[in-house]
Amino acid sequence: MKKGANIQLQRVIGYFHGTMFLFSIIIGAGIFMAPKGVLKYSSLNVGVSLSIWAACALVSMIAALSYAEMGTTFPRSGAQYYFLKRSLGPLIAFFYLWIGLFSTPAGLAARGLLLAGYIAQPFYPGCSVPEMPKKCLALAILWCLGILNARGVKEVAWFQTVSTVVKMTVLCFVSVTGIVLLVRGRKENLARFEKAFDAEVPDALQIAEAFLQGLYAYSGWGILVQIAGELKNPSENIPKCVITALTLVALIYLLVNISYLAVLTPKEIMFSDAVAVTWVDRVFPSMQWAISIGVASSIFSSLNCTLLAASRVLYIASQEGQLPLILSTLNSHSCPAVAVIHTLIFASLVIIPSDLILLINYVGFTNWIQLGLMMMGLLKLRFQEPNLPRPYKVRLPFIFGSMAMSLFLVLTPMIKSPKMHYFYVLLFILSGLLFYLPFVHLNLDSTYFNKITCFLQLLLNVSPTDDINECISAEETLQKNPPEIAAKKV
């Protein structure tokens, strides 16, 4: 580390790269996996399936705009963690952190295995990929992403822009081709849409499951709040990026699903292991490589964004004293390298014994628990601190709508079809008390921790940030002397 260097997170991401980040993390594996799940839980009803995709876009937009208020009110990296600590107290913030410590690496492991499977499949024609090569490749992918993240947010931003252009090209190709085939298609293909609602109508539990599948494809819209400390003018750019990105993603997702259904029957989609590959086999068999590139770039860039965002939450939690100090240190590229390494170690451990489907189930369930907590905190802070400067202020119906959706998606499966893994998740969340009480609440410390911190600083060439006290001081000044900013409502 150079003497005299300014060690702090840099605000280098503007509107364009912010929108690219959202595209990158949202358009991941979901659009290639979720259509099968949405159709399955929609009872193969084409009309209900497409309606759920549109409804998922609306729910995601409402939740993302509600979430955006946190990043504009507290424009610092890991803003949602700091916000929870401010609104609901340190215990709830620690529960959020405790969930993320394991659910985020689990999500990284699941997508890493999926990407490794897509890359390795051409080398094993006619059979499934063996587990050992797939897991080794997944580990290599994750640690390559760790090296890229350690180079700083500017390098990550340019990589995300390139990968987004690649996957958007592939998805636009699928969308346009499907629409052309539909216009010139046979009567039975058109009849599939003319009689879209003629099939069986799903019940409440099936609708909840279909929503979870569809929302998985839209997940990741909160990344700009997680990296708010590295955004230029976050009060304006966060809402603008959210509206731009989610509107375009919703349009693309609907067109891609229509394209799938223009070529394949609902049953063919149901029995397909890879819908996009089955689609291209039917339309352009020689273009399989293009779909493979699109899927690989989608998952790879989504993994990269997730790793970036997860490290920022650990960074702010360390600054707030709920994690070891070493996690808030930065390298010469202004990256919390130790936080990145910590996340990768956990993800690597999860990959070894992992079950892909089980991992996705756990991650989806915990994500909506976390969103419910966020909305409760947002509502409480509105009434507890009404004069808090809010450059962007979402309308209350959006908050209540997000809370209602969170409760519906968490409670409906537990009540209608209780499964043990839901209760295991809740027990795991409560087990965080075993760590919170001694290490955070009672603040037990050891000289060994200090020695380990010093050793890791020298080994990894990292340093504490220069702006911890400055950020706290600036925030206290902001609360005492709020600027005259008109609150924007959406």
Side-chain angles (χ1 to χ4, degrees):
M1 190 70 67
K2 294 179 181 178
K3 288 186 178 180
N6 189 20
I7 308 303
Q8 62 183 35
L9 295 178
Q10 306 293 322
R11 293 191 180 275
V12 295
I13 303 173
Y15 169 72
F16 174 75
H17 283 121
T19 305
M20 288 298 105
F21 268 110
L22 277 172
F23 274 130
S24 295
I25 196 167
I26 294 173
I27 304 177
I31 189 56
F32 301 101
M33 296 169 59
K36 177 178 176 178
V38 173
L39 262 176
K40 175 184 175 182
Y41 292 111
S42 300
S43 301
L44 301 185
N45 190 314
V46 172
V48 171
S49 172
L50 293 176
S51 299
I52 285 174
W53 278 102
C56 285
L58 182 61
V59 168
S60 299
M61 181 73 80
I62 290 171
L65 289 173
S66 301
Y67 214 69
E69 186 174 321
M70 302 175 205
T72 57
T73 305
F74 305 108
R76 53 195 300 178
S77 291
Q80 74 279 35
Y81 164 83
Y82 180 80
F83 169 83
L84 271 181
K85 189 178 179 186
R86 175 76 172 263
S87 59
L88 298 180
L91 178 59
I92 300 300
F94 183 81
F95 277 144
Y96 169 83
L97 179 65
W98 180 251
I99 293 170
L101 280 173
F102 297 93
S103 67
T104 301
L108 286 169
R111 282 176 285 172
L113 286 167
L114 184 67
L115 176 56
Y118 266 100
I119 293 173
Q121 188 60 61
F123 299 97
Y124 297 90
C127 62
S128 58
V129 181
E131 287 298 309
M132 185 57 69
K134 185 164 71 173
K135 289 180 178 181
C136 290
L137 182 56
L139 287 171
I141 289 167
L142 289 180
W143 284 95
C144 285
L145 288 174
I147 294 171
L148 176 62
N149 268 265
R151 297 292 301 169
V153 72
K154 282 186 178 180
E155 301 286 341
V156 174
W158 280 110
F159 172 81
Q160 295 304 107
T161 302
V162 173
S163 62
T164 299
V165 170
V166 172
K167 61 187 175 185
M168 290 293 285
T169 302
V170 172
L171 288 174
C172 288
F173 166 74
V174 174
S175 302
V176 173
T177 305
I179 298 302
V180 171
L181 290 173
L182 188 62
V183 171
R184 298 180 178 179
R186 294 173 294 182
K187 290 182 179 180
E188 56 266 29
N189 291 7
L190 294 172
R192 206 173 294 154
F193 295 95
E194 291 171 357
K195 300 178 181 179
F197 291 94
D198 285 357
E200 179 187 348
V201 178
D203 60 24
L205 175 60
Q206 289 175 308
I207 289 174
E209 295 282 4
F211 262 103
L212 283 173
Q213 293 287 324
L215 289 168
Y216 174 73
Y218 285 97
S219 61
W221 38 255
I223 186 173
L224 296 185
V225 174
Q226 292 173 297
I227 61 171
E230 291 158 279
L231 285 175
K232 300 174 183 176
N233 195 6
S235 60
E236 288 189 11
N237 281 331
I238 292 178
K240 282 169 61 179
C241 290
V242 164
I243 293 171
T244 303
L246 276 173
T247 301
L248 292 176
V249 168
L251 179 62
I252 290 169
Y253 277 9
L254 280 171
L255 290 175
V256 168
N257 275 280
I258 291 171
S259 179
Y260 288 157
L261 289 163
V263 176
L264 306 170
T265 66
K267 286 186 179 180
E268 285 175 330
I269 293 174
M270 271 291 300
F271 290 106
S272 170
D273 291 328
V275 180
V277 174
T278 306
W279 180 91
V280 81
D281 275 341
R282 185 71 56 83
V283 182
F284 298 111
S286 61
M287 294 288 289
Q288 277 194 13
W289 59 270
I291 296 298
S292 297
I293 290 174
V295 173
S297 63
S298 295
I299 302 172
F300 199 76
S301 60
S302 180
L303 277 169
N304 198 29
C305 281
T306 303
L307 182 59
L308 175 78
S311 63
R312 271 52 180 179
V313 175
L314 300 183
Y315 167 83
I316 188 64
S318 173
Q319 285 192 338
E320 293 294 315
Q322 288 199 345
L323 285 178
L325 179 63
I326 189 66
L327 292 170
S328 61
T329 56
L330 301 178
N331 65 8
S332 57
H333 300 286
S334 298
C335 168
V338 182
V340 171
I341 293 169
H342 175 277
T343 304
L344 288 174
I345 289 172
F346 272 52
S348 301
L349 292 174
V350 173
I351 279 177
I352 296 169
S354 63
D355 180 311
L356 181 60
I357 301 300
L358 194 60
L359 286 177
I360 291 173
N361 285 342
Y362 283 144
V363 171
F365 187 70
T366 55
N367 281 348
W368 284 95
I369 293 176
Q370 290 175 323
L371 181 66
L373 290 175
M374 295 292 177
M375 295 304 104
M376 288 170 58
L378 199 62
L379 196 60
K380 182 184 176 186
L381 209 61
R382 280 286 186 92
F383 294 99
Q384 185 176 297
E385 299 187 48
N387 297 322
L388 186 69
R390 293 177 174 87
Y392 167 81
K393 192 173 182 181
V394 74
R395 295 184 182 276
L396 285 177
F398 281 35
I399 300 174
F400 286 118
S402 300
M403 287 179 67
M405 197 65 193
S406 174
L407 288 171
F408 174 69
L409 294 174
V410 171
L411 296 180
T412 302
M414 293 181 67
I415 295 170
K416 288 277 189 180
S417 179
K419 295 177 183 176
M420 286 307 297
H421 68 256
Y422 294 130
F423 297 101
Y424 290 150
V425 170
L426 295 176
L427 284 174
F428 164 73
I429 293 171
L430 293 175
S431 70
L433 284 170
L434 298 176
F435 291 84
Y436 175 79
L437 291 174
F439 296 110
V440 179
H441 184 68
L442 299 177
N443 198 25
L444 294 181
D445 203 351
S446 169
T447 55
Y448 291 108
F449 289 161
N450 295 329
K451 290 180 180 178
I452 292 171
T453 299
C454 291
F455 172 75
L456 289 175
Q457 278 189 249
L458 293 172
L459 178 67
L460 300 171
N461 193 26
V462 293
S463 172
T465 59
D466 297 332
D467 62 340
I468 297 178
N469 294 328
E470 292 173 12
C471 284
I472 296 172
S473 173
E475 186 175 301
E476 288 174 353
T477 304
L478 188 66
Q479 304 307 322
K480 292 176 184 176
N481 305 298
E484 296 180 1
I485 301 176
K488 299 177 183 178
K489 291 191 177 185
V490 171

